[in-house]
Amino acid sequence: MSTSEPKSRSAGGVFRTKSIEQSIQDTEEPDHALTRSLSALDLTVFGVGVIIGTGIFVLTGAAAKDQAGPATALAFVAAGIVCALAALCYAEFASTVPVAGSAYTFSYASIGELPAWIIGWDLVLEFALGTAVVAVGWSGYVRSLMDNAGWNLPDELQGPTVAEGFGFDLLAFLLVLVLTGILVLGTKLSARFTAIVVAIKVTVVLIVIIAGAFLIDSKNYDPFLPPSQPSAAGSGLDAPLVQIMFGYEPTDFGVQGIFTAAAVVFFAFIGFDVVATTAEETRNPQRDMPRGILGSLAICTVLYVAVTIVVTGMQKYTQLSVDAPLADAFKAVGHPWFAGAISLGAAVGLTTVCMILLLGQTRVFFAMSRDGLLPRFFSKTHPQFATPYRSTILLGVVIAIIAGFTSIEELAELVNIGTLFAFVVVAIGVIILRRTRPDLHRAFRTPWVPVVPILSVAASLWLMLNLPAETWVRFGGWMIVGVVVYFLYGRAHSRMSSTTKL
């Protein structure tokens, strides 16, 4: 670390940057500091815990049946490469700026306050919707298991998608509240809980891979790469933005189908960036952050590819179920017992996905509050547990209500576009910080700068362009609201406004 602390830059006020030295100094502020208790293993468990969710149990069937056939395994590889490019950039920042906030903090140190606010505002939406969507999905799995056992909730307590008229998803609501309580009690407790649950669901995934390997029929791999055909993508705002902008006609199957499927299965990788939000709570972030981020991504990519190869080998891709491909594939080959185990593994596994997404959001909110861009009241840590309990309770209650009252499947794609947008900003930030702070000690260095960050930007933008135009409209609306909030509150209350002239 450089011994001299550079002055924060001011370019029109809204592009003032917060020096890395100042960011690290803020982590030592009484009543606003987090406890360093996490190891590389904890970080890897967090990463695996949030990545392995509904994606591995659901998206394999949809992508194989509609876009790529058995070559969906290559789509997972392609999506994994896009994430790996971003992960290399995240690893450099997380080891260099070991402060809560992930992409928000990285942007503040390299690009400026307004871009940092925008990305923080984006992450708040991404993690909030992600948590609510996963909680609703978990509720569906648990209700299914309860139905099998003969226990039934009233329709009014199963959510708006089941009830006629008023509907409240009681299970999703209670799940978020319980996980909020665990997060308030401490990050290390959260890590222990996550480790147990991750062990269960990884065991289920390995059972699927090992047992399914003995049930593969090689004839189901023919053809491995089905011939291309016109895409079934929608029209108007439902169509991919790239199609509207350039008249580009995407195809399903064939080589192009692999990349079309990659845009679909990318959902399955969302979450590894959450690991970076815990940098301030890591005992040795310079060493452990890169290991946690890259290690969890590598493990999950291998598991995804293996599961895809097994399920498309067990059952012809044209016959795969879209809702529960793994469970139904075992039923199709005469092994229904595995279907119940898979449903149980999915239900158990989604608890960690929900909790870690909530953890990520509270840390971003905490960092923005500590910088004054949101009320400082929410950055005070608990005197006993040293957790940002005020922001955790606020966000937990709000998300619990959203999960209980709202059916937000259509908004789930906002989680995707928000993540990709964060990837773009972080990659650009690496290039900028290499130029503005070449003297800075970097425990981990992104290789081949600026080539890798540029590739990361290009790959992320390509997947963003393959999302529906309607998603872009909603995302743009949320960003406009964020800019308004910044100029009405954040700009004037920023702690940087007292040290940097506007």
Side-chain angles (χ1 to χ4, degrees):
M1 185 72 65
S2 176
T3 57
S4 60
E5 180 178 327
K7 295 181 179 179
S8 300
R9 292 186 292 111
S10 176
V14 298
F15 290 101
R16 56 197 175 197
T17 59
K18 182 180 180 182
S19 71
I20 293 173
E21 290 79 4
Q22 181 60 51
S23 297
I24 295 176
Q25 183 178 332
D26 285 348
T27 66
E28 302 170 356
E29 185 179 354
D31 298 329
H32 299 275
L34 302 174
T35 301
R36 296 191 180 275
S37 60
L38 300 178
S39 64
L41 178 60
D42 292 327
L43 299 177
T44 303
V45 169
F46 271 145
V48 174
V50 73
I51 297 173
I52 296 183
T54 53
I56 200 167
F57 298 107
V58 177
L59 292 179
T60 47
K65 186 172 184 177
D66 299 332
Q67 278 101 22
T72 299
L74 299 180
F76 273 110
V77 173
I81 290 173
V82 173
C83 291
L85 293 171
L88 289 170
C89 299
Y90 268 87
E92 175 169 325
F93 261 126
S95 61
T96 306
V97 193
V99 179
S102 185
Y104 158 76
T105 299
F106 307 157
S107 303
Y108 211 160
S110 57
I111 303 176
E113 185 173 275
L114 179 58
W117 164 266
I118 291 174
I119 196 63
W121 186 254
D122 161 54
L123 290 174
V124 167
L125 174 71
E126 172 195 337
F127 292 145
L129 290 181
T131 305
V133 169
V134 172
V136 172
W138 174 88
S139 175
Y141 276 108
V142 173
R143 289 200 308 270
S144 176
L145 292 172
M146 291 174 62
D147 290 342
N148 292 338
W151 303 336
N152 298 296
L153 286 173
D155 288 350
E156 293 78 10
L157 297 180
Q158 296 190 43
T161 58
V162 177
E164 295 182 4
F166 173 83
F168 181 77
D169 195 330
L170 179 63
L171 293 178
F173 174 80
L174 292 177
L175 172 68
V176 176
L177 290 186
V178 170
L179 296 180
T180 297
I182 293 175
L183 290 176
V184 168
L185 293 177
T187 307
K188 190 62 180 179
L189 174 63
S190 306
R192 290 170 180 165
F193 172 78
T194 302
I196 295 172
V197 177
V198 167
I200 294 173
K201 69 178 176 181
V202 169
T203 299
V204 172
V205 171
L206 291 176
I207 290 174
V208 169
I209 294 172
I210 296 171
F214 292 97
L215 302 172
I216 290 175
D217 183 349
S218 60
K219 295 179 181 178
N220 292 328
Y221 291 133
D222 185 21
F224 186 80
L225 183 61
S228 62
Q229 62 186 47
S231 175
S235 58
L237 289 179
D238 291 333
L241 184 64
V242 66
Q243 179 178 339
I244 296 174
M245 291 177 61
F246 306 113
Y248 167 75
E249 294 293 341
T251 62
D252 293 330
F253 304 107
V255 175
Q256 179 57 43
I258 295 175
F259 295 101
T260 304
V264 174
V265 301
F266 179 80
F267 283 100
F269 286 95
I270 286 177
F272 80 86
D273 55 319
V274 177
V275 176
T277 67
T278 62
E280 193 173 325
E281 297 161 271
T282 303
R283 288 197 293 264
N284 189 345
Q286 288 77 14
R287 181 196 66 191
D288 295 340
M289 267 290 148
R291 293 181 180 181
I293 293 173
L294 297 172
S296 59
L297 182 60
I299 291 170
C300 293
T301 301
V302 171
L303 292 177
Y304 280 170
V305 170
V307 166
T308 305
I309 291 175
V310 166
V311 73
T312 54
M314 289 173 58
Q315 189 175 24
K316 191 70 173 180
Y317 73 91
T318 55
Q319 300 173 348
L320 284 174
S321 162
V322 174
D323 295 328
L326 270 65
D328 290 345
F330 276 102
K331 289 180 181 178
V333 294
H335 294 274
W337 179 88
F338 287 102
I342 291 168
S343 296
L344 177 61
V348 172
L350 288 181
T351 59
T352 58
V353 179
C354 190
M355 186 182 73
I356 299 169
L357 287 174
L358 182 59
L359 169 70
Q361 188 194 39
T362 59
R363 273 30 179 192
V364 173
F365 198 93
F366 166 79
M368 296 174 73
S369 173
R370 188 167 59 186
D371 289 335
L373 297 178
L374 291 171
R376 289 265 292 170
F377 171 84
F378 294 111
S379 66
K380 184 175 177 60
T381 53
H382 194 281
Q384 179 180 353
F385 306 124
T387 56
Y389 68 107
R390 291 175 175 174
S391 58
T392 301
I393 292 173
L394 169 70
L395 295 169
V397 171
V398 170
I399 295 172
I401 294 173
I402 292 174
F405 280 110
T406 312
S407 175
I408 50 179
E409 287 84 355
E410 293 182 0
L411 297 182
E413 288 180 333
L414 280 172
V415 180
N416 198 356
I417 195 171
T419 301
L420 289 165
F421 179 63
F423 287 2
V424 170
V425 173
V426 170
I428 294 173
V430 167
I431 298 175
I432 293 176
L433 201 62
R434 284 287 186 97
R435 291 182 175 273
T436 58
R437 293 297 308 276
D439 61 309
L440 194 66
H441 172 69
R442 293 166 170 83
F444 177 89
R445 298 177 68 89
T446 303
W448 304 311
V449 174
V451 175
V452 167
I454 290 174
L455 288 175
S456 179
V457 170
S460 298
L461 286 176
W462 174 250
L463 290 185
M464 290 174 74
L465 289 173
N466 278 278
L467 291 171
E470 186 176 11
T471 300
W472 281 83
V473 172
R474 290 170 174 167
F475 180 69
W478 177 255
M479 290 295 103
I480 291 172
V481 172
V483 171
V484 171
V485 172
Y486 170 76
F487 281 104
L488 290 180
Y489 181 89
R491 187 168 184 257
H493 292 82
S494 170
R495 297 181 70 192
M496 292 297 295
S497 66
S498 62
T499 58
T500 307
K501 293 181 179 180
L502 298 181

